Amino acid sequence: MESRYTGTDQNPVVRDETLNESRSLLMMEEHHCCKDDDSRVKPKDVIYVVGYDVSYADGARNAKCAAVVLKLTKQTSLNKKDKFLKQAVWIDDWMPTDHMVQAQRLKQLWYRFTFPGSQTYIAIDAQQYGTAVLQDLMTDLQDGLAPLCCIDNDMFGELRLEGALPVIYPIRASVNGSKDPDSEMLRYAIVQFENRNVQLLTSDHNSGISAYKVFHKMKTDKYDAMIYKPYLKTQELVGQIQNLKAVPSGSGTSEKRISNKIQRDSWSALKYALRLAQKLEFKYLMKPQKHSDWDKAFAAMARRPKAAAQTKSRIIIGRKGGRLF
């Protein structure tokens, strides 16, 4: 009965076996890893993406604002060199608030995961109520930080302030006719989970908390609840994923909730972050490798001198004899 309720035996979006294997990330991060004194990661070798799902201020049907932080690093194996390893290092949600408050809270989260020489982006739902949050992000929030703007200035370019940082990727999802089709975002998320390119925080939160405290040299239990929260929210994310099943939709696939009482805020935030990760993979990992070994052969052939054109006129000989058949 439980498997029917969660939908795990009815075309699940992500199989239970895959979800369990993806929960291999031991230690959560509450800020950019290069801010740690013992960090061995170079700023240029890591990218963070903050996926954010906007919710209405009235909090209809228990909907919440949700944020998922993905840490993107290059993989070295031959068959995965064109794909980032995507680690969900931090997850949280909160009750809906005014759009200005949401913008301020989201920007502070983005700032926590920034570091000089590294790239940190925001992937946000930019439709309906999310439009107001996006516009607020592009204003001067009086927080001492530079204003933000969209990556390609393709949305609200007229609102861009001087010195704004191009870090926002607005998600405009729909069934079709948009740059972020629902079916494509879902397909990519499914493939990345199945190929083990996505890692979630471990279900063994005690080991995770111990690892975090050892790494940060913490000898007190004062902050255990704060450390535990991302692991708890990851468990809720897994529950949201297990409540989804894949159903045919036109030429693609869409997701459907088994129980409408279970929201999918964190799952949506994760999909948005994965969508931007897909764009960054194409920009940084795929384009430099688009030349194949055949290109060298074709280039050598192109450099060969062409044969001299024939100058003699054609000689036409009349056919002798009668009918052939």
Side-chain angles (χ1 to χ4, degrees), residues 116-159:
S118 182
Q119 302 178 69
T120 304
Y121 299 98
I122 296 175
I124 180 175
D125 177 16
Q127 299 194 102
Q128 298 180 353
Y129 198 74
T131 302
V133 180
L134 174 58
Q135 291 176 331
D136 289 336
L137 283 173
M138 299 180 68
T139 63
D140 185 0
L141 296 176
Q142 303 297 320
D143 52 8
L145 303 175
L148 310 180
C149 65
C150 296
I151 295 176
D152 299 324
N153 289 324
D154 60 343
M155 193 171 187
F156 304 116
E158 68 280 1
L159 299 179

Short mmCIF file of all heavy atoms in Angstrom, two decimals, residues 116-159:
data_model
loop_
_atom_site.label_atom_id
_atom_site.label_comp_id
_atom_site.label_asym_id
_atom_site.label_seq_id
_atom_site.Cartn_x
_atom_site.Cartn_y
_atom_site.Cartn_z
N PRO A 116 35.39 35.22 -4.99
CA PRO A 116 36.14 35.82 -6.10
C PRO A 116 36.81 34.76 -6.97
O PRO A 116 37.47 33.85 -6.47
CB PRO A 116 37.18 36.69 -5.39
CG PRO A 116 36.57 37.01 -4.05
CD PRO A 116 35.78 35.79 -3.68
N GLY A 117 36.63 34.89 -8.27
CA GLY A 117 37.22 33.94 -9.21
C GLY A 117 36.34 32.75 -9.52
O GLY A 117 36.69 31.91 -10.34
N SER A 118 35.19 32.67 -8.86
CA SER A 118 34.25 31.58 -9.10
C SER A 118 32.94 32.14 -9.63
O SER A 118 32.68 33.34 -9.54
CB SER A 118 34.00 30.80 -7.80
OG SER A 118 33.12 29.72 -8.04
N GLN A 119 32.10 31.27 -10.20
CA GLN A 119 30.82 31.69 -10.76
C GLN A 119 29.68 31.11 -9.93
O GLN A 119 29.69 29.92 -9.61
CB GLN A 119 30.70 31.21 -12.21
CG GLN A 119 31.79 31.71 -13.13
CD GLN A 119 31.62 31.16 -14.53
OE1 GLN A 119 30.70 31.51 -15.26
NE2 GLN A 119 32.53 30.27 -14.92
N THR A 120 28.71 31.95 -9.61
CA THR A 120 27.53 31.52 -8.88
C THR A 120 26.30 32.15 -9.54
O THR A 120 26.27 33.37 -9.75
CB THR A 120 27.59 31.94 -7.40
OG1 THR A 120 28.79 31.42 -6.82
CG2 THR A 120 26.40 31.39 -6.64
N TYR A 121 25.31 31.33 -9.86
CA TYR A 121 24.14 31.78 -10.60
C TYR A 121 22.86 31.52 -9.81
O TYR A 121 22.84 30.75 -8.84
CB TYR A 121 24.05 31.07 -11.94
CG TYR A 121 25.22 31.31 -12.86
CD1 TYR A 121 26.27 30.39 -12.94
CD2 TYR A 121 25.28 32.45 -13.66
CE1 TYR A 121 27.35 30.60 -13.79
CE2 TYR A 121 26.35 32.67 -14.52
CZ TYR A 121 27.38 31.75 -14.58
OH TYR A 121 28.44 31.97 -15.41
N ILE A 122 21.80 32.15 -10.27
CA ILE A 122 20.45 31.94 -9.74
C ILE A 122 19.55 31.49 -10.88
O ILE A 122 19.48 32.15 -11.92
CB ILE A 122 19.88 33.22 -9.11
CG1 ILE A 122 20.70 33.65 -7.90
CG2 ILE A 122 18.42 33.02 -8.70
CD1 ILE A 122 20.26 34.99 -7.30
N ALA A 123 18.87 30.37 -10.71
CA ALA A 123 17.86 29.91 -11.66
C ALA A 123 16.51 30.02 -10.95
O ALA A 123 16.25 29.31 -9.98
CB ALA A 123 18.13 28.46 -12.08
N ILE A 124 15.66 30.92 -11.43
CA ILE A 124 14.43 31.24 -10.72
C ILE A 124 13.23 31.14 -11.64
O ILE A 124 13.31 31.46 -12.83
CB ILE A 124 14.52 32.68 -10.12
CG1 ILE A 124 13.24 33.03 -9.37
CG2 ILE A 124 14.85 33.70 -11.19
CD1 ILE A 124 13.31 34.38 -8.65
N ASP A 125 12.14 30.66 -11.09
CA ASP A 125 10.87 30.63 -11.81
C ASP A 125 10.43 32.07 -12.05
O ASP A 125 10.13 32.81 -11.11
CB ASP A 125 9.83 29.88 -10.97
CG ASP A 125 8.46 29.86 -11.62
OD1 ASP A 125 8.37 30.17 -12.83
OD2 ASP A 125 7.49 29.56 -10.92
N ALA A 126 10.39 32.48 -13.32
CA ALA A 126 10.14 33.88 -13.66
C ALA A 126 8.75 34.12 -14.21
O ALA A 126 8.52 35.06 -14.96
CB ALA A 126 11.19 34.37 -14.66
N GLN A 127 7.80 33.27 -13.84
CA GLN A 127 6.44 33.44 -14.32
C GLN A 127 5.51 33.77 -13.14
O GLN A 127 5.77 33.40 -12.00
CB GLN A 127 5.97 32.17 -15.03
CG GLN A 127 6.82 31.83 -16.25
CD GLN A 127 6.18 30.79 -17.14
OE1 GLN A 127 5.62 31.11 -18.18
NE2 GLN A 127 6.27 29.54 -16.74
N GLN A 128 4.43 34.45 -13.45
CA GLN A 128 3.42 34.82 -12.47
C GLN A 128 4.06 35.58 -11.31
O GLN A 128 4.69 36.61 -11.50
CB GLN A 128 2.67 33.56 -12.01
CG GLN A 128 1.93 32.86 -13.14
CD GLN A 128 1.20 31.63 -12.69
OE1 GLN A 128 1.30 31.17 -11.55
NE2 GLN A 128 0.43 31.05 -13.60
N TYR A 129 3.95 35.08 -10.08
CA TYR A 129 4.47 35.79 -8.92
C TYR A 129 5.99 35.90 -8.95
O TYR A 129 6.57 36.82 -8.37
CB TYR A 129 4.02 35.07 -7.64
CG TYR A 129 4.13 35.92 -6.39
CD1 TYR A 129 3.22 36.95 -6.15
CD2 TYR A 129 5.11 35.68 -5.45
CE1 TYR A 129 3.30 37.72 -5.00
CE2 TYR A 129 5.20 36.45 -4.29
CZ TYR A 129 4.30 37.47 -4.08
OH TYR A 129 4.38 38.24 -2.94
N GLY A 130 6.65 34.95 -9.65
CA GLY A 130 8.10 35.00 -9.74
C GLY A 130 8.61 36.21 -10.48
O GLY A 130 9.75 36.63 -10.28
N THR A 131 7.78 36.79 -11.35
CA THR A 131 8.19 37.99 -12.08
C THR A 131 8.50 39.13 -11.11
O THR A 131 9.48 39.87 -11.29
CB THR A 131 7.09 38.43 -13.06
OG1 THR A 131 6.83 37.35 -13.97
CG2 THR A 131 7.51 39.65 -13.85
N ALA A 132 7.68 39.29 -10.09
CA ALA A 132 7.90 40.36 -9.11
C ALA A 132 9.19 40.14 -8.34
O ALA A 132 9.95 41.08 -8.08
CB ALA A 132 6.71 40.45 -8.16
N VAL A 133 9.47 38.87 -7.97
CA VAL A 133 10.71 38.57 -7.25
C VAL A 133 11.92 38.85 -8.14
O VAL A 133 12.92 39.42 -7.69
CB VAL A 133 10.71 37.10 -6.77
CG1 VAL A 133 12.01 36.79 -6.02
CG2 VAL A 133 9.51 36.83 -5.88
N LEU A 134 11.83 38.47 -9.41
CA LEU A 134 12.93 38.72 -10.34
C LEU A 134 13.18 40.21 -10.51
O LEU A 134 14.34 40.66 -10.51
CB LEU A 134 12.60 38.08 -11.69
CG LEU A 134 13.57 38.37 -12.83
CD1 LEU A 134 14.98 37.92 -12.47
CD2 LEU A 134 13.10 37.68 -14.11
N GLN A 135 12.13 40.99 -10.65
CA GLN A 135 12.30 42.44 -10.80
C GLN A 135 12.92 43.05 -9.55
O GLN A 135 13.74 43.97 -9.65
CB GLN A 135 10.95 43.08 -11.11
CG GLN A 135 10.41 42.74 -12.49
CD GLN A 135 9.03 43.32 -12.72
OE1 GLN A 135 8.24 43.50 -11.79
NE2 GLN A 135 8.71 43.61 -13.97
N ASP A 136 12.56 42.55 -8.38
CA ASP A 136 13.16 43.06 -7.15
C ASP A 136 14.64 42.73 -7.06
O ASP A 136 15.44 43.53 -6.55
CB ASP A 136 12.43 42.48 -5.93
CG ASP A 136 11.02 43.05 -5.76
OD1 ASP A 136 10.79 44.17 -6.27
OD2 ASP A 136 10.18 42.38 -5.16
N LEU A 137 15.03 41.56 -7.57
CA LEU A 137 16.45 41.19 -7.57
C LEU A 137 17.28 42.15 -8.41
O LEU A 137 18.48 42.34 -8.16
CB LEU A 137 16.63 39.76 -8.10
CG LEU A 137 16.29 38.61 -7.16
CD1 LEU A 137 16.36 37.29 -7.91
CD2 LEU A 137 17.23 38.58 -5.96
N MET A 138 16.65 42.78 -9.40
CA MET A 138 17.37 43.66 -10.30
C MET A 138 17.43 45.10 -9.77
O MET A 138 18.03 45.97 -10.41
CB MET A 138 16.70 43.64 -11.68
CG MET A 138 16.72 42.26 -12.33
SD MET A 138 15.95 42.22 -13.97
CE MET A 138 17.12 43.21 -14.91
N THR A 139 16.82 45.34 -8.62
CA THR A 139 16.86 46.67 -8.03
C THR A 139 17.97 46.75 -6.98
O THR A 139 18.58 45.73 -6.62
CB THR A 139 15.51 47.01 -7.37
OG1 THR A 139 15.26 46.09 -6.29
CG2 THR A 139 14.37 46.92 -8.39
N ASP A 140 18.21 47.93 -6.48
CA ASP A 140 19.16 48.11 -5.39
C ASP A 140 18.45 47.80 -4.08
O ASP A 140 17.60 48.56 -3.62
CB ASP A 140 19.69 49.55 -5.39
CG ASP A 140 20.79 49.75 -4.35
OD1 ASP A 140 21.13 48.78 -3.64
OD2 ASP A 140 21.31 50.88 -4.26
N LEU A 141 18.79 46.68 -3.47
CA LEU A 141 18.11 46.23 -2.26
C LEU A 141 18.71 46.82 -0.99
O LEU A 141 18.36 46.40 0.12
CB LEU A 141 18.15 44.69 -2.18
CG LEU A 141 17.39 43.96 -3.30
CD1 LEU A 141 17.58 42.45 -3.17
CD2 LEU A 141 15.92 44.31 -3.27
N GLN A 142 19.61 47.79 -1.14
CA GLN A 142 20.22 48.46 0.01
C GLN A 142 20.91 47.47 0.95
O GLN A 142 20.85 47.59 2.17
CB GLN A 142 19.15 49.25 0.77
CG GLN A 142 18.41 50.28 -0.06
CD GLN A 142 19.33 51.38 -0.60
OE1 GLN A 142 20.23 51.84 0.10
NE2 GLN A 142 19.09 51.79 -1.85
N ASP A 143 21.55 46.45 0.36
CA ASP A 143 22.25 45.45 1.16
C ASP A 143 23.76 45.54 1.03
O ASP A 143 24.50 44.67 1.51
CB ASP A 143 21.80 44.04 0.75
CG ASP A 143 21.89 43.81 -0.76
OD1 ASP A 143 22.44 44.69 -1.47
OD2 ASP A 143 21.40 42.78 -1.23
N GLY A 144 24.23 46.60 0.36
CA GLY A 144 25.66 46.76 0.18
C GLY A 144 26.24 45.93 -0.94
O GLY A 144 27.46 45.96 -1.16
N LEU A 145 25.40 45.17 -1.66
CA LEU A 145 25.86 44.33 -2.76
C LEU A 145 25.43 44.94 -4.08
O LEU A 145 24.47 45.71 -4.17
CB LEU A 145 25.27 42.92 -2.63
CG LEU A 145 25.57 42.17 -1.33
CD1 LEU A 145 24.83 40.85 -1.30
CD2 LEU A 145 27.07 41.94 -1.17
N ALA A 146 26.15 44.60 -5.13
CA ALA A 146 25.81 45.09 -6.46
C ALA A 146 24.46 44.52 -6.89
O ALA A 146 24.11 43.39 -6.53
CB ALA A 146 26.90 44.70 -7.47
N PRO A 147 23.67 45.25 -7.66
CA PRO A 147 22.41 44.71 -8.18
C PRO A 147 22.69 43.58 -9.16
O PRO A 147 23.80 43.46 -9.69
CB PRO A 147 21.76 45.91 -8.86
CG PRO A 147 22.90 46.82 -9.20
CD PRO A 147 23.91 46.64 -8.09
N LEU A 148 21.69 42.77 -9.41
CA LEU A 148 21.83 41.63 -10.30
C LEU A 148 21.01 41.86 -11.57
O LEU A 148 20.12 42.72 -11.61
CB LEU A 148 21.37 40.35 -9.60
CG LEU A 148 21.96 40.07 -8.21
CD1 LEU A 148 21.41 38.78 -7.65
CD2 LEU A 148 23.48 40.03 -8.27
N CYS A 149 21.30 41.08 -12.60
CA CYS A 149 20.52 41.15 -13.83
C CYS A 149 20.56 39.79 -14.51
O CYS A 149 21.30 38.89 -14.08
CB CYS A 149 21.03 42.25 -14.77
SG CYS A 149 22.71 41.95 -15.40
N CYS A 150 19.78 39.64 -15.57
CA CYS A 150 19.70 38.37 -16.28
C CYS A 150 20.98 38.12 -17.08
O CYS A 150 21.66 39.06 -17.51
CB CYS A 150 18.49 38.34 -17.20
SG CYS A 150 16.91 38.44 -16.32
N ILE A 151 21.28 36.87 -17.30
CA ILE A 151 22.52 36.49 -17.97
C ILE A 151 22.61 37.08 -19.37
O ILE A 151 23.61 37.67 -19.75
CB ILE A 151 22.64 34.95 -18.02
CG1 ILE A 151 22.78 34.38 -16.61
CG2 ILE A 151 23.81 34.52 -18.89
CD1 ILE A 151 22.79 32.86 -16.56
N ASP A 152 21.53 36.92 -20.15
CA ASP A 152 21.55 37.36 -21.54
C ASP A 152 20.78 38.66 -21.76
O ASP A 152 20.57 39.06 -22.91
CB ASP A 152 20.97 36.27 -22.44
CG ASP A 152 21.78 34.98 -22.36
OD1 ASP A 152 23.02 35.08 -22.24
OD2 ASP A 152 21.18 33.91 -22.40
N ASN A 153 20.34 39.27 -20.69
CA ASN A 153 19.55 40.51 -20.80
C ASN A 153 18.34 40.34 -21.71
O ASN A 153 17.88 41.28 -22.35
CB ASN A 153 20.41 41.67 -21.34
CG ASN A 153 21.42 42.16 -20.31
OD1 ASN A 153 21.13 42.18 -19.12
ND2 ASN A 153 22.59 42.52 -20.77
N ASP A 154 17.83 39.10 -21.79
CA ASP A 154 16.69 38.85 -22.65
C ASP A 154 15.37 39.08 -21.93
O ASP A 154 14.31 38.91 -22.50
CB ASP A 154 16.74 37.42 -23.19
CG ASP A 154 16.73 36.38 -22.07
OD1 ASP A 154 17.01 36.75 -20.91
OD2 ASP A 154 16.45 35.21 -22.37
N MET A 155 15.42 39.45 -20.68
CA MET A 155 14.20 39.67 -19.91
C MET A 155 14.41 40.88 -18.99
O MET A 155 15.37 40.92 -18.22
CB MET A 155 13.85 38.42 -19.09
CG MET A 155 12.46 38.43 -18.51
SD MET A 155 12.02 36.83 -17.78
CE MET A 155 10.29 37.08 -17.41
N PHE A 156 13.57 41.85 -19.11
CA PHE A 156 13.63 43.07 -18.30
C PHE A 156 14.98 43.76 -18.45
O PHE A 156 15.56 44.26 -17.48
CB PHE A 156 13.36 42.77 -16.83
CG PHE A 156 12.06 42.09 -16.58
CD1 PHE A 156 12.01 40.80 -16.06
CD2 PHE A 156 10.86 42.72 -16.87
CE1 PHE A 156 10.80 40.16 -15.84
CE2 PHE A 156 9.64 42.09 -16.64
CZ PHE A 156 9.62 40.82 -16.13
N GLY A 157 15.50 43.77 -19.66
CA GLY A 157 16.78 44.44 -19.90
C GLY A 157 16.73 45.92 -19.60
O GLY A 157 17.74 46.53 -19.24
N GLU A 158 15.53 46.51 -19.72
CA GLU A 158 15.40 47.94 -19.46
C GLU A 158 15.55 48.27 -17.98
O GLU A 158 15.77 49.44 -17.62
CB GLU A 158 14.04 48.45 -19.97
CG GLU A 158 12.84 47.93 -19.20
CD GLU A 158 12.41 46.52 -19.58
OE1 GLU A 158 13.08 45.92 -20.45
OE2 GLU A 158 11.42 46.02 -19.02
N LEU A 159 15.46 47.26 -17.11
CA LEU A 159 15.58 47.48 -15.67
C LEU A 159 17.02 47.35 -15.18
O LEU A 159 17.29 47.59 -14.00
CB LEU A 159 14.70 46.50 -14.90
CG LEU A 159 13.19 46.56 -15.17
CD1 LEU A 159 12.46 45.52 -14.34
CD2 LEU A 159 12.64 47.95 -14.87
#
